[in-house]
Structure formats: structure tokens, C-alpha cells
Amino acid sequence: EVQLVQSGAEVKKPGESLRISCKGSGYSFPTYWISWVRQMPGKGLEWMGRIDPGDSRTNYSPSFQGHVTISADKSISTAYLQWSSLKASDTAIYYCASLRIAAAANWFDPWGQGTLVTVSS
Amino acid sequence: QSVLTQPPSASGTPGQRVTISCSGSSSNIGSYTVNWYQQLPGTAPKLLIYSNNQRPSGVPDRFSGSKSGTSASLAISGLQSEDEADYYCAAWDDSLNGWVFGGGTKLTVL
């Protein structure tokens, strides 16, 4: 079964650093880009950025560039999303998703189960 | 303010047909395929429709998608209580060099 399994919920204080993970299984992890998507409480989905696990190329949404870092370790089929200094406004559920491509189309499937990050003093 | 525009809510009674619209521009829907995701309460989003009108294995044929110009639509026929969820459209955007989502439509089955 193709799946993405994310790390567990985190509670952090403002200014702390954090790295959450997304482990792929059931497929060739380096073959498909991984994206991260944010969902703030009661809000919609926002694309943050993506990484090619094969060579670690990344690109970020302008809204998130400079605020987070996306990385990957293909040897353990895992992608990461990290913050160096969290803010209360980073409180959200973060999803990873695998990008599938066929012909001129692309889509996210599957998705991880989500990681809740709570930032509060 | 989302790049793709969806109505915030939609509703129908069991057995009815409902449609959800998604409006974009030439830099996204007008040039690229549209996908739809279903998010049941308290769960992760799940792929519902890809490449405008294709259903992944396991998605009932009650769900269908279409695209015309810079707009797309999701139709759900034979509405069931388990269809109550948030629905999001998404597409690649050339101007932003990334994916954009609609704001989501909360579907209520009355």
C-alpha cells in the first residue's frame, strides 16, 4: 500500500525550533515530489512548497519562502518541514502529499495523516 | 483570499444532485488541469477527481468533474449523508509557480 506517515503532534513555545517528518512507503520514494500543505484552524488548504527527494531540489510558495525549510533524506524515504523560530501564527495542521504526474496532469495522492503543530506560550 | 474561488457552502437533501463551482484565471485553470479533494471532518484531504474529470479507483461514479475555460465544477449525484465534507479544487498556477487551492466548500446534507 502506498502511504505517507507523518510524525506526531507537537506543542512548542514561540521562538523554538521544530522539524516534522513524512515517511513514504509502498513506492519508490525518490521518484515523486513531496509537497507540504498548511491548514490553519478552521481554514482552507495552502500549498507551502515541494521537494524532489531524488536530488533535494525545492521550490516554495512566495508566502512561505524564508519562513520554513523543506528537506529530504531519500535513504530513509523521509521528507521534513522545519522552522528555526516558531510563531503563534504557525499553529496549524501540516500535511505532506505525494505529487503524481501523468501526461499534462498532476495531482496530490496520497496524503499524510497530518501533523498538528501548536505554538503557545 | 484564495486564488481559486469557490462558494463557501452548498447543501442538498439525500438523493439530490449538487454542483460546486471553482473559478480561476488563465494562469491556472485556463492553462492546467483541475483536481478536487474531499476532506471529511477531522481527516486528511483525499483525492476525489484528477485531471479535470478522472476518478481514482474506489471513488463512486456519483462524483464527476468538468472544466470549461477558466472554471471547473464538481457534481455529486444521488447525494448521501456520508458526502458531508469540505471540498477543495486545486490547480497549478504559472504566475505563482506553485499550486493554488480554492477556499473550500462545506457541503451539508440536510
Side-chain angles (χ1 to χ4, degrees):
Chain A
E1 179 191 6
V2 176
Q3 63 177 352
L4 297 173
V5 178
Q6 298 184 226
S7 50
E10 302 273 2
V11 179
K12 291 288 188 179
K13 290 181 167 41
E16 291 186 331
S17 63
L18 174 65
R19 188 177 77 168
I20 62 175
S21 66
C22 168
K23 183 174 177 61
S25 63
Y27 73 101
S28 175
F29 187 75
T31 303
Y32 301 98
W33 290 72
I34 292 286
S35 277
W36 287 93
V37 175
R38 182 176 78 174
Q39 186 167 39
M40 298 179 76
K43 302 298 184 182
L45 306 174
E46 303 171 87
W47 181 75
M48 302 175 69
R50 63 175 176 171
I51 186 164
D52 179 344
D55 61 11
S56 292
R57 279 181 298 152
T58 56
N59 77 283
Y60 295 87
S61 162
S63 299
F64 293 92
Q65 178 85 48
H67 297 291
V68 296
T69 301
I70 296 173
S71 60
D73 184 343
K74 64 182 178 182
S75 69
I76 55 172
S77 301
T78 302
Y80 302 98
L81 177 66
Q82 67 182 65
W83 296 259
S84 58
S85 181
L86 287 160
K87 304 174 184 177
S89 58
D90 292 319
T91 295
I93 298 175
Y94 294 87
Y95 296 101
C96 62
S98 178
L99 177 68
R100 303 290 153 150
I101 299 174
N106 54 69
W107 58 90
F108 297 127
D109 183 53
W111 293 61
Q113 83 276 20
T115 295
L116 174 62
V117 174
T118 304
V119 184
S120 174
S121 54
Chain B
Q1 191 84 3
S2 302
V3 174
L4 304 182
T5 301
Q6 298 179 233
S9 63
S11 63
T13 57
Q16 265 192 329
R17 182 178 188 271
V18 297
T19 62
I20 297 172
S21 62
C22 175
S23 177
S25 67
S26 58
S27 66
N28 42 66
I29 294 178
S31 300
Y32 299 95
T33 59
V34 177
N35 308 312
W36 290 88
Y37 300 93
Q38 178 192 57
Q39 187 175 33
L40 296 168
T43 70
K46 175 192 126 179
L47 179 67
L48 191 66
I49 296 287
Y50 68 97
S51 191
N52 301 328
N53 54 19
Q54 301 299 302
R55 282 186 310 278
S57 171
V59 173
D61 58 7
R62 302 186 295 104
F63 294 91
S64 62
S66 64
K67 181 185 121 170
S68 178
T70 59
S71 294
S73 290
L74 172 70
I76 309 171
S77 59
L79 199 60
Q80 299 180 4
S81 58
E82 58 258 41
D83 298 334
E84 199 160 272
D86 294 324
Y87 293 85
Y88 295 91
C89 59
W92 175 262
D93 188 289
D94 260 344
S95 300
L96 298 174
N97 195 34
W99 278 271
V100 290
F101 288 92
T105 298
K106 183 176 184 61
L107 175 64
T108 301
V109 181
L110 302 170

